[in-house]
């Protein structure tokens, strides 16, 4: 019996000495965004003209570019900001800035997205900067979009969240009704976006945003895009079709890079 007890004791001791299994690391959504942003900045080279995106994910990329400039690992970078907020951030980081008038061709743009479909079409603009984002990202040779996996959808509008449309303030209700009727077969509800004070949200361009909430797929996206832009009063919409050349997706299992 003593021998048996001794063997059992040795077994228990061996188990107690074995290293405990580490619990799985669960990353927050912001940590995933940061991972994707840092990966995107690996595409940046010295001497580039860069489109600097807007939003919580793009902010990490701009921070990283500023850090690399301070370290001397990047030089001769010129940034084209897509919003006043990003402009202020870039200035605080010492990133030299310019505009599309001086640099009509951009080497690389890095920005986030609110939705990404299987064809790398995007919804952007829930932060309110869709017009400037589309102008800058439409002028770049390469557009790297950075998202966490929660932004992946089967079709644009599939998250049930807003698909933004920037409109002129004049008779915005008329424009909103036109937009809602355009997609009535998709169960569209059009709502004016308000700020935290309950007043109409005003973009950097002095316009309003009408958010479209869709219950169904709107079908051919190019047809939908053309129809939206034909409505008088519409400035631009938040569908970025065939614009992203690379999408970097950060998830719990790591980084996925999708190329056009």
């Amino acid at each position: 019996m003593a021998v048996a007890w001794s063997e059992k004791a040795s077994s228990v001791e061996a188990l107690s000495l074995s290293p405990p299994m580490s619990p799985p690391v669960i990353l927050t959504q912001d940590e995933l965004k940061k991972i994707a942003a840092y990966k995107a900045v690996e595409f940046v080279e010295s001497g580039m003209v860069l489109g600097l995106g807007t939003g919580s994910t793009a902010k990490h990329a701009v921070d990283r570019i500023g850090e690399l400039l301070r370290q001397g690992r990047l030089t001769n970078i010129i940034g084209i900001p897509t919003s006043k907020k990003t402009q202020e951030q870039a200035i605080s980081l010492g990133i030299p800035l310019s505009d599309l008038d001086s640099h009509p061709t951009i080497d690389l743009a890095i920005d986030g997205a609110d939705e990404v479909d299987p064809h790398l079409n995007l919804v952007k603009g829930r932060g309110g900067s869709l017009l400037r984002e589309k102008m800058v990202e439409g002028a770049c040779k390469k557009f790297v979009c950075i998202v966490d996996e929660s932004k992946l959808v089967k079709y644009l509008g599939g998250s049930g969240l807003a698909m933004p449309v920037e409109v002129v303030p004049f008779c915005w209700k008329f424009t909103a009704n036109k937009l809602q009727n355009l997609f009535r077969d998709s169960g569209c509800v059009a709502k004016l976006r308000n700020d935290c004070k309950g007043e109409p949200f005003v973009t950097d361009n002095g316009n309003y945003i009408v958010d479209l909430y869709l219950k169904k797929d709107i079908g051919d996206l190019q047809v939908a895009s053309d129809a939206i832009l034909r409505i008088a009063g519409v400035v631009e919409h938040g569908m970025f079709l065939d614009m992203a050349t690379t999408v970097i997706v950060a998830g719990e299992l790591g980084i996925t890079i999708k190329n056009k």
Side-chain angles (χ1 to χ4, degrees):
M1 290 293 292
V3 173
W5 182 88
S6 175
E7 289 174 351
K8 185 176 181 181
S10 298
S11 177
V12 171
E13 183 180 12
L15 286 172
S16 67
L17 292 174
S18 62
M21 292 185 65
S22 300
V25 177
I26 300 176
L27 299 175
T28 66
Q29 187 179 36
D30 191 60
E31 287 169 333
L32 292 173
K33 290 177 179 180
K34 189 172 184 178
I35 290 169
Y38 276 44
K39 186 66 178 177
V41 175
E42 292 179 11
F43 287 86
V44 178
E45 299 175 3
S46 293
M48 279 187 167
V49 178
L50 299 176
L52 305 177
T54 298
S56 57
T57 308
K59 179 181 182 298
H60 289 303
V62 177
D63 281 341
R64 179 62 172 163
I65 291 166
E67 180 183 12
L68 295 176
L69 280 170
R70 286 195 305 275
Q71 294 173 352
R73 295 164 65 185
L74 283 177
T75 58
N76 300 320
I77 293 294
I78 296 175
I80 313 293
T82 54
S83 67
K84 292 179 180 177
K85 187 173 184 179
T86 299
Q87 180 178 2
E88 292 168 0
Q89 179 193 4
I91 290 171
S92 72
L93 294 169
I95 300 174
L97 298 180
S98 188
D99 55 34
L100 287 173
D101 290 336
S102 301
H103 296 87
T105 301
I106 297 172
D107 296 304
L108 170 69
I110 300 175
D111 205 354
D114 302 306
E115 292 183 359
V116 181
D117 77 4
H119 305 289
L120 307 191
N121 296 309
L122 317 173
V123 168
K124 292 176 51 57
R126 290 180 189 153
S129 303
L130 63 98
L131 176 58
R132 295 191 186 192
E133 288 173 336
K134 190 170 281 191
M135 290 177 69
V136 170
E137 287 146 20
C140 63
K141 298 175 184 177
K142 187 176 183 66
F143 172 24
V144 178
C145 178
I146 46 179
V147 296
D148 65 87
E149 59 189 356
S150 71
K151 303 300 192 296
L152 303 181
V153 294
K154 293 181 179 178
Y155 60 89
L156 295 193
S159 68
L161 300 176
M163 182 182 290
V165 181
E166 187 161 342
V167 304
V168 296
F170 176 73
C171 294
W172 67 263
K173 291 182 182 178
F174 171 83
T175 308
N177 286 334
K178 288 276 190 180
L179 289 165
Q180 183 166 296
N181 289 334
L182 184 63
F183 299 113
R184 61 181 178 273
D185 291 342
S186 297
C188 178
V189 175
K191 296 181 180 179
L192 181 71
R193 183 180 300 184
N194 291 324
D195 61 19
C196 59
K197 298 178 182 178
E199 298 295 323
F201 174 89
V202 179
T203 70
D204 286 348
N205 316 297
N207 296 315
Y208 290 173
I209 287 184
V210 172
D211 288 320
L212 306 183
Y213 296 89
L214 304 162
K215 294 181 180 178
K216 298 178 184 177
D217 190 342
I218 59 174
D220 188 312
L221 297 178
Q222 194 58 61
V223 171
S225 169
D226 292 344
I228 292 171
L229 295 175
R230 281 198 298 268
I231 295 175
V234 167
V235 178
E236 189 53 85
H237 59 71
M239 291 188 292
F240 285 51
L241 308 180
D242 296 319
M243 292 181 64
T245 53
T246 300
V247 175
I248 298 176
V249 184
E252 291 183 2
L253 299 178
I255 291 281
T256 302
I257 299 179
K258 303 173 183 283
N259 292 305
K260 270 289 187 187

